Amino acid sequence: MSFDAKHFLKTVSEAPGVYRMLDDQGNVLYVGKAKRLKARLASYFRGALNTKTQALVARIADIQVTITRSETEALLLEQTLIKELRPPYNILLRDDKSYPYVFASDRHPYPALEFKRVRNKRNDGRYLGPYTSSNAVRESLALMQKIFRIRNCEDTVFAHRTRPCLQYQIGRCSAPCVDYISQEDYRRDLEHAVMCLEGKSEQVTNQLTAAMEAASHALDFEEAARLRDQVQHLRRLQERQVVDTDASDADIFALAERPGGLCVSVLTVRQGRMLGARHHTPENGLDLTPDELLGEFVSQYYLGQGRELPAEVITSHALPDNDILQAALSEHAGKRIRVAHQVRGYRAQWQQLAITNAEQYLGTQLANRSQLSKRFETLRSALSMEQAPHRLECFDISHSHGEATVASCVVFDQDGPVKSDYRRFNIEGVAAGDDYAAMRQALTRRFKRLQQEDGKRPDILLIDGGKGQLNMSREVLQELGVTDVRLIGVAKGTTRKAGLETLFLETVDNTLSLESGSPALHLIQHIRDEAHRFAITGHRQRRDKARRTSTLQDIPGVGPKRRRELLKFFGGLQGVRHATRDELARVPGISASLAASIHQALHG
């Protein structure tokens, strides 16, 4: 069966990451990185492709993705996988003898930063490196040129210039060839660039911040603005990289579970560098809780398979009998092994990355066309329908103590979620907390509009609620004369555990019994959970609408001193707005919780 690219692309994340293209034998054909996985992968299946790329696409049977926190992480992981897997469609180095260096001459009055493959034995300058990726070196040199305006021309060209070149005109060079900058100032900029390449960008940023404040106090605002731009560029450069934060060895286990499936992703980190993620889909025949299941999985992964143990094992859930497992793994490995769930810093980032990968992989698997077809067919059989339903809609209500009430409508067809048809309804004019009235308003608005515009009606209408919501929904449909839509009420069980829901078909006296492992029930749970998620997101956006236009002065906990620290750290309000939660937490005096509040206030 050929690869269904259109269906696959519906489930791919927009995050940065690495993708592996596999043939029908499971062999890796190609490894690539992307700043936005969805956009990059979509480019392979539309538009004009060269002959070799067409040959690659024709052999694709599956694509696996690993999400990373940034494009830089993706680049590092891509190079690691290429070296390990040696895919036939990737460019492979013939040997590992020629590593790139960055060279800065000591003999030239205005030295350039040069890319070198061979290190000269003469002691005529500084060599930085060796580096593992020539692309990364070239990207770094381009960034240093952009930030510090270091020249990139050949010495012969430099010696014969009589006027500035185009690089000066676009702000990429300070024109030392025509003495537009003194040797002292140029050497200072060069030293800053070298320090950044040596990993000392934090020191450079502090120096530039002090210089920016001094220029501002001296009323030299043009120079202060130039230094501010440099600070902002460097803050983006200093984004914490999960793959290269520490020299630790660790395996990170994350479990994601949804109706109809579960996934355990194992993230492997060695010497502080992420080597990749592998995904497993074990059966949960005994209906174990997530922490019990993950504990069993970790035990079998090491003790049953004889795998090498790292110094640390990190899990997404707190494991039962954690101390016993830790002792057993330590004895098995002959060294102390730490098993942890509550972690901080870069370990918490690894943990979150593993969780993200598990959820992404599980979402892709559940959206598989064959899985969906089976679910729709099982639902058809359970409802004794002549044909499988083509369109399902589910409504849910979300609010906070009656504030900012929002109703959601999500739509599924036999290809999965139809997100272009999702709708939200801002509920107005009902008593706070009156879910029945809120649902009545949402259903009335929805089906009146369908009648007026002759839109697509659902075959089945799912209502997330108990008997009262079902009765009210049936009244609305009867009032509007809608008779060709089947109505199903989904009431949570006493423990609110998935699989214990009560399903009402049309009336509260007619219950629909489905086994906890039924694909039809999994489909209903899936659409119900999606409606719940969509409603909560809409409610939060509506509730926090005012916050999205906030400035720093409006944020609780951010006084004059913290505002000053934030603006100084990021070089201005624009830099603060572009910062992530982790970057905000690096500012002196800003805790992780306050960083989250600031990010929420600025972005909603």
Side-chain angles (χ1 to χ4, degrees):
M1 189 173 80
S2 62
F3 181 67
D4 189 345
K6 182 178 179 181
H7 190 71
F8 169 77
L9 290 171
K10 285 185 178 181
T11 66
V12 177
S13 171
E14 292 280 2
V18 171
Y19 56 91
R20 287 169 287 172
M21 296 176 169
L22 286 73
D23 62 15
D24 54 5
Q25 303 296 316
N27 301 314
V28 178
L29 299 171
Y30 182 77
V31 174
K33 69 170 177 65
K35 184 176 182 179
R36 292 172 56 230
L37 283 166
K38 189 166 192 170
R40 182 69 185 95
L41 289 169
S43 69
Y44 287 99
F45 303 101
R46 62 167 179 257
L49 300 174
N50 61 43
T51 305
K52 291 185 177 180
T53 306
Q54 289 177 8
L56 165 63
V57 172
R59 295 182 59 186
I60 294 174
D62 189 20
I63 298 177
Q64 297 180 355
V65 301
T66 299
I67 297 172
T68 61
R69 282 172 46 86
S70 69
E71 192 178 11
T72 307
E73 288 179 23
L75 171 64
L76 293 170
L77 178 56
E78 176 198 33
Q79 297 305 315
T80 300
L81 292 176
I82 289 173
K83 186 173 182 180
E84 175 189 348
L85 302 172
R86 303 188 69 81
Y89 283 88
N90 282 96
I91 297 172
L92 302 175
L93 296 176
R94 288 174 294 175
D95 55 50
D96 295 328
K97 297 177 182 177
S98 179
Y99 289 102
Y101 292 85
V102 174
F103 173 69
S105 172
D106 286 340
R107 300 186 176 185
H108 200 285
Y110 295 100
L113 287 174
E114 302 176 63
F115 180 96
K116 295 282 189 180
R117 276 287 181 188
V118 178
R119 182 166 182 166
N120 198 316
K121 293 183 179 179
R122 293 180 301 173
N123 189 19
D124 56 350
R126 284 184 289 178
Y127 285 89
L128 306 175
Y131 299 96
T132 57
S133 168
S134 60
N135 287 336
V137 173
R138 296 184 195 278
E139 289 175 7
S140 298
L141 289 178
L143 187 58
M144 293 301 101
Q145 180 196 4
K146 179 180 179 180
I147 297 175
F148 298 107
R149 301 188 298 171
I150 305 299
R151 74 176 182 92
N152 68 343
C153 56
E154 298 289 339
D155 288 350
T156 52
V157 175
F158 178 91
H160 294 89
R161 293 297 306 183
T162 58
R163 59 181 182 177
C165 66
L166 181 62
Q167 293 296 316
Y168 171 77
Q169 303 294 337
I170 64 175
R172 295 292 182 90
C173 181
S174 52
C177 54
V178 290
D179 296 325
Y180 277 21
I181 184 173
S182 67
Q183 287 191 29
E184 180 183 355
D185 289 344
Y186 186 87
R187 283 282 181 179
R188 180 201 62 212
D189 290 340
L190 179 71
E191 187 61 32
H192 283 159
V194 169
M195 289 174 67
C196 287
L197 292 173
E198 291 176 335
K200 301 175 182 176
S201 59
E202 188 69 46
Q203 297 178 30
V204 177
T205 305
N206 292 336
Q207 293 176 18
L208 292 177
T209 301
M212 178 182 68
E213 291 181 335
S216 179
H217 289 313
L219 305 183
D220 187 354
F221 299 117
E222 185 175 343
E223 176 66 8
R226 187 183 71 82
L227 292 168
R228 178 205 61 203
D229 293 341
Q230 289 185 339
V231 169
Q232 291 180 347
H233 280 304
L234 286 175
R235 287 301 177 199
R236 296 190 194 107
L237 182 67
Q238 289 161 5
E239 179 186 81
R240 288 186 173 181
Q241 303 303 327
V242 174
V243 292
D244 258 344
T245 312
D246 185 77
S248 301
D249 292 347
D251 286 342
I252 303 92
F253 294 79
L255 184 144
E257 186 175 23
R258 295 187 197 170
L262 61 87
C263 170
V264 177
S265 287
V266 185
L267 204 69
T268 303
V269 176
R270 295 294 182 269
Q271 294 297 308
R273 175 162 296 185
M274 187 172 74
L275 302 184
R278 294 194 177 272
H279 311 289
H280 306 264
T281 53
E283 295 291 334
N284 190 8
L286 297 178
D287 197 23
L288 300 174
T289 61
D291 51 350
E292 291 172 338
L293 180 64
L294 190 58
E296 293 282 344
F297 184 90
V298 173
S299 298
Q300 288 192 29
Y301 187 83
Y302 293 116
L303 303 178
Q305 303 291 329
R307 288 184 172 89
E308 178 186 357
L309 272 153
E312 188 168 20
V313 173
I314 300 170
T315 61
S316 61
H317 294 68
L319 304 185
D321 301 324
N322 187 86
D323 294 341
I324 297 174
L325 177 62
Q326 182 170 276
L329 294 180
S330 299
E331 182 177 342
H332 180 74
K335 59 182 181 181
R336 185 179 181 277
I337 306 296
R338 180 174 181 251
V339 180
H341 158 61
Q342 293 184 328
V343 288
R344 296 180 179 180
Y346 56 85
R347 288 178 172 82
Q349 296 173 9
W350 289 339
Q351 185 185 56
Q352 184 56 50
L353 195 57
I355 292 170
T356 301
N357 276 280
E359 291 173 345
Q360 165 70 29
Y361 183 83
L362 181 58
T364 301
Q365 292 299 106
L366 292 178
N368 181 279
R369 187 183 293 272
S370 61
Q371 285 264 22
L372 282 166
S373 297
K374 181 180 178 182
R375 291 180 171 191
F376 272 81
E377 179 57 30
T378 309
L379 183 60
R380 181 205 66 77
S381 177
L383 298 177
S384 301
M385 300 174 68
E386 292 184 4
Q387 293 182 335
H390 294 288
R391 184 182 178 92
L392 280 66
E393 292 189 6
C394 183
F395 281 74
D396 191 19
I397 304 293
S398 180
H399 58 79
S400 296
H401 305 292
E403 176 195 1
T405 303
V406 171
S408 70
C409 169
V410 302
V411 182
F412 273 44
D413 63 14
Q414 294 188 12
D415 287 331
V418 187
K419 295 194 175 182
S420 60
D421 288 355
Y422 282 20
R423 295 291 182 269
R424 290 196 184 105
F425 303 90
N426 290 334
I427 303 301
E428 305 288 356
V430 303
D434 189 347
D435 288 359
Y436 294 153
M439 184 68 78
R440 173 181 286 275
Q441 184 179 130
L443 289 173
T444 301
R445 288 165 59 182
R446 172 65 170 166
F447 281 91
K448 270 190 175 180
R449 185 166 183 175
L450 287 179
Q451 290 175 329
Q452 293 168 359
E453 299 179 358
D454 195 25
K456 295 180 181 178
R457 289 193 184 186
D459 301 305
I460 296 175
L461 176 62
L462 295 163
I463 301 297
D464 186 13
K467 297 178 180 180
Q469 288 283 37
L470 181 69
N471 288 331
M472 185 278 307
S473 302
R474 190 173 68 254
E475 288 176 10
V476 172
L477 296 185
Q478 289 173 350
E479 290 170 3
L480 296 175
V482 178
T483 59
D484 55 349
V485 175
R486 290 208 178 196
L487 192 61
I488 297 179
V490 185
K492 297 179 178 65
T494 54
T495 61
R496 304 179 74 87
K497 184 178 179 181
L500 299 180
E501 296 89 350
T502 302
L503 305 179
F504 300 104
L505 184 58
E506 300 293 349
T507 68
V508 296
D509 299 323
N510 186 15
T511 58
L512 178 64
S513 297
L514 295 174
E515 295 291 334
S516 61
S518 167
L521 179 59
H522 294 157
L523 176 60
I524 292 172
Q525 291 169 335
H526 188 180
I527 189 171
R528 186 270 316 277
D529 292 346
E530 179 69 355
H532 189 57
R533 178 200 65 79
F534 194 57
I536 289 176
T537 303
H539 158 64
R540 287 174 177 168
Q541 289 175 351
R542 186 182 182 193
R543 184 193 62 192
D544 299 331
K545 185 176 181 180
R547 293 185 184 179
R548 288 201 296 274
T549 59
S550 297
T551 59
L552 295 179
Q553 290 92 331
D554 303 321
I555 303 173
V558 181
K561 183 176 180 181
R562 283 175 173 154
R563 285 200 299 273
R564 195 162 51 247
E565 288 292 341
L566 284 164
L567 295 172
K568 186 170 86 171
F569 192 90
F570 293 106
L573 183 60
Q574 210 51 27
V576 179
R577 289 186 182 279
H578 287 138
T580 65
R581 288 181 176 84
D582 290 340
E583 290 167 342
L584 289 168
R586 294 172 61 196
V587 178
I590 304 297
S591 65
S593 59
L594 182 55
S597 299
I598 296 170
H599 192 273
Q600 171 74 12
L602 295 177
H603 300 277

